[in-house]
């Protein structure tokens, strides 16, 4: 059996596992929601959910926590996808929580709204009584995520305790939780970044234009190319310039760095990633706040 056939079989197996997880979520939980960012992982989840429940519609809504500092291209893509597929989208905004005085805007050179998504997400879970949130986290992304189960339990404060997670033997997923608890479920937990990109290619999925090379104003800081926009606190000695760049992730504009690239087509992007020395999250500015940044956010209810 040649290498290309092996690769197809491996992709089919991972797709089948993800579809199985989606169906287990629908069978075991009364009120699921799919967390949608407009990034490649959540786009992949939408396609997998379509396949899991076809010919019926996806039986749960999408939830986007809008920081107010999202890339315009991502929001345009989100709205077009929702309209095209007839999806039920719920949007909750960080700005509304700031305006109400529930949370405070960060200040300073590295101010970001990324961490401010957590209380807004928790309020949405409480508002709609979601008992499972489906996310696109993968174990290869970051060391805190490597500890996750496919069904990852959160307590009645939505806090994550890595020592209080069930073993998952032989794909047996236990969705029984005490009242007030909820679960984060990760159907593509066992996928790699390259698996996601290969799946996007095989399924011919469209993506936000940010993922492909384009001209954008950026400036140098801490060895990274920051997007120059009204939300980043740029000092007077940080000069911006136009470069041909693309983004590996498409999160909040204040915490997502660009990479120089000429990859304007999907095949070129995949080949560039295959050869890249920088990890996917190496361009996530917020991960550099501390070595345990992701773990700290997870413990207070993030994702």
């Amino acid at each position: 059996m040649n290498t290309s056939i092996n690769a197809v079989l491996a992709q089919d197996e991972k797709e089948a596992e993800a579809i199985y997880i989606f169906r287990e979520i629908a069978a075991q939980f009364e009120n699921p929601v799919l967390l949608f960012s407009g990034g490649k992982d959540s786009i992949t989840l939408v396609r997998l959910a379509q396949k899991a429940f076809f010919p019926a519609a996806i039986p749960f809504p999408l939830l986007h926590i809008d920081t107010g500092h999202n890339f315009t291209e991502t929001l345009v893509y989100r709205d077009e996808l929702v309209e095209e597929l007839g999806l039920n989208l719920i949007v909750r905004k960080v700005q509304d929580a700031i305006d109400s005085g529930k949370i405070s805007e960060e200040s300073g050179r590295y101010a970001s709204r990324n961490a401010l998504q957590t209380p807004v997400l928790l309020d949405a879970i409480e508002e709609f009584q979601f008992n499972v949130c489906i996310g696109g986290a993968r174990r290869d992304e970051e060391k805190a995520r490597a500890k996750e189960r496919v069904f990852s339990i959160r307590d009645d404060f939505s806090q994550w305790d890595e020592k209080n997670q069930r073993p998952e033997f032989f794909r047996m997923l236990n969705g029984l939780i005490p009242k007030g608890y909820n679960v984060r479920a990760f159907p593509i937990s066992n996928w790699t970044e390259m698996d996601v990109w290969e799946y996007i290619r095989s399924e011919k999925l469209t993506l936000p234009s940010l993922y492909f090379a384009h001209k954008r104003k950026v400036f140098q800081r801490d060895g990274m190319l920051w997007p120059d926009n009204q939300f980043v606190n740029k000092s007077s000695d940080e000069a911006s310039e136009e470069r041909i760049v693309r983004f590996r992730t498409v999160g909040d504009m204040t915490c997502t760095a660009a990479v120089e690239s000429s990859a304007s087509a999907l095949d070129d992007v995949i080949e560039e990633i295959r050869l890249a020395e920088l990890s996917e999250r190496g361009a996530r500015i917020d991960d550099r706040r501390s070595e345990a940044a992701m773990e700290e956010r997870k413990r207070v209810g993030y994702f």
Side-chain angles (χ1 to χ4, degrees), residues 17 21 41 135-152 165-169 173 186-193 196 280-281 303:
E17 178 186 62
I21 292 167
D41 297 320
R138 307 186 320 271
R139 291 190 178 117
D140 75 318
E141 284 183 276
E142 201 271 344
K143 60 186 180 183
R145 288 182 169 174
K147 302 173 184 178
E148 288 281 21
R149 303 292 192 267
V150 173
F151 280 9
S152 183
Q165 301 295 322
R166 299 174 178 132
E168 290 174 337
F169 298 119
L173 304 174
F186 304 116
I188 59 171
S189 184
N190 291 325
W191 295 35
T192 64
E193 180 189 13
V196 172
E280 178 184 10
R281 294 196 69 88
F303 205 50

Side-chain angles (χ1 to χ4, degrees), residues 27 44 71 75 78 112 120 123 127 154-155 157 163 181 221 230-231 250 266 273 278 287 293 298:
T44 297
F71 289 97
L75 298 179
R78 178 200 71 186
S112 170
V120 180
D123 283 349
E127 177 185 356
R154 302 297 191 269
D155 65 19
F157 294 101
K163 296 177 182 177
Y181 279 42
R221 180 189 286 179
Q230 68 269 37
F231 305 122
V250 294
L266 184 58
I273 291 170
L278 182 71
D287 282 356
K298 282 162 62 66

Side-chain angles (χ1 to χ4, degrees), residues 70-132:
N70 297 100
F71 289 97
T72 301
E73 296 93 329
T74 305
L75 298 179
V76 168
Y77 177 92
R78 178 200 71 186
D79 294 342
E80 289 176 348
L81 182 71
V82 166
E83 182 176 1
E84 177 189 351
L85 301 182
L87 303 172
N88 177 13
L89 174 69
I90 298 167
V91 178
R92 289 296 177 267
K93 298 182 178 182
V94 169
Q95 186 64 55
D96 290 341
I98 293 172
D99 291 344
S100 70
K102 180 158 190 172
I103 56 177
S104 299
E105 190 88 75
E106 291 185 358
S107 60
R109 193 172 188 232
Y110 295 96
S112 170
R113 287 187 175 181
N114 200 46
L116 302 184
Q117 294 177 92
T118 299
V120 180
L121 170 61
L122 299 186
D123 283 349
I125 291 172
E126 180 67 23
E127 177 185 356
F128 293 97
Q129 292 295 292
F130 295 127
N131 57 355
V132 57

Side-chain angles (χ1 to χ4, degrees), residues 185-235:
F186 304 116
I188 59 171
S189 184
N190 291 325
W191 295 35
T192 64
E193 180 189 13
M194 190 56 69
D195 290 332
V196 172
W197 280 107
E198 292 288 3
Y199 191 73
I200 287 167
R201 176 159 59 184
S202 69
E203 293 292 308
K204 298 181 174 58
L205 301 180
T206 60
L207 295 171
S209 58
L210 290 164
Y211 281 113
F212 303 99
H214 59 284
K215 187 180 290 186
R216 183 176 291 267
K217 283 189 175 183
V218 296
F219 66 95
Q220 291 265 6
R221 180 189 286 179
D222 301 335
M224 294 185 289
L225 294 176
W226 291 52
D228 188 358
N229 59 75
Q230 68 269 37
F231 305 122
V232 175
N233 294 331
K234 185 162 67 78
S235 60

Side-chain angles (χ1 to χ4, degrees), residues 261-298:
S261 172
S262 61
S264 57
L266 184 58
D267 287 345
D268 298 330
V269 169
I270 291 173
E271 184 59 22
E272 184 179 273
I273 291 170
R274 198 184 305 279
L275 300 174
E277 295 182 3
L278 182 71
S279 71
E280 178 184 10
R281 294 196 69 88
R284 286 303 297 262
I285 296 161
D286 53 323
D287 282 356
R288 301 195 178 194
R289 291 191 176 198
S290 77
E291 287 191 4
M294 173 65 75
E295 195 148 339
E296 290 164 4
R297 291 198 299 273
K298 282 162 62 66

